Amino acid sequence: QVQLVQSGGGLVQAGGSLRLSCAALGRTYAMGWFRQAPGKEREFVAAISWSGSSTYSADSVKGRFTITRDNAKNTVYLQMNSLKPEDTAAYYCAARSRQGFSGSYDANTYDYWGQGTQVTVSS
């Protein structure tokens, strides 16, 4: 069983930046970030392949959010810049237990989930 431990998040003003981290205790492959705002469905944010050579981001965050990973630390990061109030949500990291990157936007393809961390952007 793989455990994902998230850190980061908090309260920031619009236009500000935050970085989320997700440390995996165990072997993982592709990893991703999802978010869920109150009263809304969970939505895909960004994903990264095991090697880090492939990434995929939602249109709503392209150019503002960057996903990276450090396999030596077994950690994936989400750098969030130019934050907007509509980015306010609980953010979750996720990891796959098998190789492959296709369909990385689909939450149902992930096997492990972090505990979630709140990001609040004030206007």
Side-chain angles (χ1 to χ4, degrees):
Q1 186 71 12
V2 173
Q3 185 178 3
L4 302 180
V5 181
Q6 296 182 222
S7 60
L11 174 65
V12 66
Q13 289 188 332
S17 298
L18 285 173
R19 188 176 81 157
L20 305 182
S21 300
C22 176
L25 306 180
R27 179 61 182 264
T28 61
Y29 291 92
M31 296 184 73
W33 289 96
F34 294 79
R35 66 186 182 186
Q36 187 167 19
K40 294 186 177 181
E41 293 186 355
R42 180 173 51 188
E43 65 172 349
F44 169 75
V45 176
I48 189 166
S49 62
W50 178 82
S51 67
S53 60
S54 298
T55 62
Y56 180 56
S57 300
D59 288 343
S60 59
V61 305
K62 280 181 180 177
R64 300 189 299 122
F65 292 11
T66 302
I67 186 170
T68 58
R69 69 187 299 163
D70 182 342
N71 284 344
K73 297 181 179 180
N74 227 11
T75 299
V76 65
Y77 304 96
L78 185 67
Q79 178 66 42
M80 305 183 292
N81 299 328
S82 302
L83 282 160
K84 304 175 181 180
E86 51 262 45
D87 294 319
T88 295
Y91 283 70
Y92 298 89
C93 69
R96 289 179 169 178
S97 62
R98 292 169 295 277
Q99 292 184 348
F101 192 58
S102 61
S104 58
Y105 56 87
D106 185 352
N108 293 318
T109 65
Y110 291 85
D111 303 290
Y112 309 110
W113 290 84
Q115 80 275 20
T117 186
Q118 180 67 33
V119 171
T120 303
V121 185
S122 63
S123 58

